[in-house]
Amino acid sequence: MEEIEIPSYFLCPISMEVMRDPVIISTGITYDRQSIEKWLFSCKHTTCPVTNQDLKFTDLTPNHNLRRLIQSWCILNSSNGIQRMPTPKPQVQKAHVVRIMKEAQKYPDMQFNCLKRIKSMARASESNKKCLESVGVVDFLASIMIKEKEEEESEVSDEALSILLHLNPSDTELKKFINSRTDHRFLDSLLQFLNSGNVQSRTSAITLLRSTLNVADPAQLIGIQPVYIKGIIGILNDKTPQQATKEALKLLVELCPWGRNRIKACENGAVFALIELLLDTNERRICELILTALDHLCTCAEGRAQLLNHGGGIAIVSKKILRVSHLASDRGVRILCSISKFSATCYNNILQEMLIVGVVSKLCLVLQVDVSPKTKEKTKEILRLHSRVWRDSSCIPPNLLSFYP
């Protein structure tokens, strides 16, 4: 079969594939709807991909003439295996969405079916998501979550949460929840999902909680209630799916620098939960996040005390150095530096334990390999700090002892 030459103007400038649903943006360039919606709405770019001009508005106008040309070309080349492009689905109408929301509010027994219809619209396209947000679907879903959670109607609230996460609300919408007088009711509903939801709803709740807190101002992050941090740590304790675990770890890392959040985390068992998780995983990104969180927590006395009181704390942190990534090694050395500088003289036998479990040997090894200059400086600082105890120890192999600073 001869190679078919595709007219260049049939190809989307982004995907470089034949356009299924060509649309024109304000700069006059035509793109395939799916590609330009992803560019504008998912990736949140505000420029034209071809001209790099700023877009004052993001309306997408169907290019009917070009679509008809593409359809005709597909039909003419059907004998060469070219399939006819399906007719694009019509875009959702605002009035239709408003009717569905009113129906759900008027007839509570119809809520679940109404939510299913909204979910189908949201999945159809990115522009549908924007349309749904513009008519107040985000507030509508949040109100259902709050109401149904208070009444313990899990099926409806789970569905509302799932759709809300899929809509990926804008920062403006999320700020409404955290800045309004009733923001605690929305956050409280997420907390209920964290504490008593099924696996999928807990994953959705921790993801949405992180998105919401990412738009909070510093005062709100400093004043976050301990129950939310307890809920985050509960995700880590319960061996939830990897996605939920990562979101919980990222949120914990983001909250720790603010105010007394490190103390709140320690008081709710964060250090123990993190060490247990670290003992149980080899996944690179999870290890990096755990060690980053422990690094934050070990800057306070409570965090260092809890790490030292865990039988495997020092050993597992040392083990992960040079076994995961440069970032993990750096965070591991920082944790050991905090322990060596501030806690080694406060706890009996800590320096001996570090010798016996191989921490000192690992630090000597760090000086021989390719790590960042800062990591090497931290390592040297630790070894020099306790050289009188460690330098002549028989626990350090002779080939590593020669690198002792």
Side-chain angles (χ1 to χ4, degrees):
M1 184 174 68
E2 294 183 10
E3 186 175 340
I4 302 170
E5 185 176 348
I6 303 173
S8 60
Y9 52 90
F10 286 3
L11 302 177
C12 172
I14 297 175
S15 67
M16 297 308 295
E17 296 178 353
V18 177
M19 289 182 274
R20 294 174 174 269
D21 186 7
V23 292
I24 308 169
I25 64 171
S26 58
T27 57
I29 308 295
T30 297
Y31 299 92
D32 187 54
R33 182 184 292 276
Q34 184 177 1
S35 297
I36 193 62
E37 284 183 349
K38 183 177 181 182
W39 171 270
L40 294 173
F41 305 135
S42 296
C43 300
K44 299 186 178 179
H45 295 296
T46 58
T47 57
C48 172
V50 171
T51 66
N52 205 34
Q53 289 177 268
D54 288 330
L55 301 175
K56 293 181 180 179
F57 52 91
T58 56
D59 293 349
L60 306 178
T61 306
N63 192 333
H64 296 298
N65 289 333
L66 181 56
R67 187 169 65 81
R68 281 194 288 268
L69 283 173
I70 293 173
Q71 290 285 30
S72 299
W73 179 82
C74 289
I75 293 169
L76 286 172
N77 288 278
S78 59
S79 59
N80 294 317
I82 301 296
Q83 295 183 347
R84 184 177 181 274
M85 293 295 180
T87 302
K89 293 181 179 179
Q91 297 302 296
V92 67
Q93 299 298 311
K94 292 183 179 181
H96 180 53
V97 180
V98 171
R99 281 198 301 272
I100 293 175
M101 288 193 292
K102 287 181 177 178
E103 184 180 323
Q105 291 166 340
K106 188 175 181 180
Y107 305 106
D109 58 325
M110 294 291 291
Q111 270 190 353
F112 190 74
N113 287 334
C114 291
L115 289 175
K116 286 287 187 184
R117 289 155 68 187
I118 291 174
K119 189 174 191 177
S120 177
M121 294 175 191
R123 285 179 168 175
S125 69
E126 290 294 328
S127 57
N128 276 7
K129 289 183 185 179
K130 286 296 172 186
C131 176
L132 293 171
E133 185 173 303
S134 70
V135 296
V137 166
V138 172
D139 288 333
F140 168 71
L141 294 170
S143 67
I144 289 179
M145 283 170 52
I146 293 167
K147 181 176 181 295
E148 300 302 326
K149 259 305 174 187
E150 288 173 351
E151 297 176 4
E152 299 185 353
E153 293 290 336
S154 62
E155 187 181 45
V156 175
S157 58
D158 286 352
E159 189 69 7
L161 173 63
S162 173
I163 300 168
L164 188 56
L165 181 66
H166 184 70
L167 282 177
N168 189 22
S170 64
D171 290 354
T172 303
E173 290 291 333
L174 291 174
K175 282 179 181 177
K176 286 184 191 176
F177 298 134
I178 203 135
N179 292 331
S180 69
R181 293 180 180 178
T182 57
D183 65 298
H184 64 92
R185 293 177 62 204
F186 176 72
L187 293 178
D188 285 351
S189 69
L190 292 181
L191 182 61
Q192 281 187 272
F193 281 111
L194 290 184
N195 293 334
S196 58
N198 58 42
V199 171
Q200 186 56 52
S201 65
R202 294 182 83 192
T203 301
S204 299
I206 190 66
T207 305
L208 196 53
L209 179 62
R210 180 172 173 243
S211 298
T212 306
L213 293 178
N214 277 343
V215 301
D217 60 45
Q220 291 167 323
L221 295 175
I222 290 170
I224 191 168
Q225 295 298 311
V227 289
Y228 293 105
I229 293 177
K230 184 178 181 180
I232 296 165
I233 296 166
I235 294 287
L236 304 179
N237 278 324
D238 292 345
K239 304 292 189 295
T240 51
Q242 204 170 90
Q243 182 188 349
T245 299
K246 285 183 179 179
E247 289 295 325
L249 287 169
K250 288 174 185 176
L251 184 51
L252 186 61
V253 168
E254 290 159 1
L255 288 173
C256 277
W258 299 99
R260 298 186 70 256
N261 289 345
R262 289 169 300 172
I263 308 297
K264 297 172 192 175
C266 291
E267 289 173 349
N268 284 283
V271 174
F272 187 89
L274 290 167
I275 294 171
E276 288 296 309
L277 192 57
L278 192 59
L279 286 164
D280 200 38
T281 185
N282 290 312
E283 203 276 330
R284 181 185 65 82
R285 186 58 183 148
I286 289 180
C287 288
E288 290 174 348
L289 289 167
I290 293 171
L291 291 168
T292 301
L294 285 173
D295 178 31
H296 281 301
L297 297 175
C298 284
T299 58
C300 67
E302 292 84 351
R304 294 191 296 272
Q306 289 184 16
L307 185 135
L308 292 173
N309 286 333
H310 189 293
I314 290 287
I316 191 59
V317 169
S318 173
K319 182 179 179 180
K320 295 299 180 181
I321 295 173
L322 302 182
R323 290 193 176 195
V324 180
S325 67
H326 284 300
L327 176 61
S329 296
D330 176 70
R331 296 299 181 267
V333 169
R334 285 165 61 101
I335 293 165
L336 295 177
C337 188
S338 293
I339 296 296
S340 299
K341 288 173 72 173
F342 303 113
S343 300
T345 57
C346 302
Y347 293 83
N348 294 328
N349 302 321
I350 289 300
L351 296 180
Q352 289 303 316
E353 180 186 343
M354 294 175 80
L355 269 173
I356 294 167
V357 300
V359 172
V360 184
S361 297
K362 177 62 72 75
L363 292 173
C364 290
L365 185 59
V366 168
L367 296 179
Q368 302 179 53
V369 299
D370 181 27
V371 294
S372 72
K374 285 186 177 180
T375 302
K376 283 199 175 183
E377 282 305 310
K378 286 280 184 186
T379 303
K380 289 178 182 178
E381 183 182 356
I382 299 169
L383 292 171
R384 287 170 182 156
L385 192 62
H386 302 294
S387 60
R388 285 189 297 178
V389 179
W390 290 340
R391 181 182 284 278
D392 299 321
S393 173
S394 59
C395 294
I396 307 174
N399 62 312
L400 295 178
L401 192 58
S402 60
F403 287 90
Y404 202 105

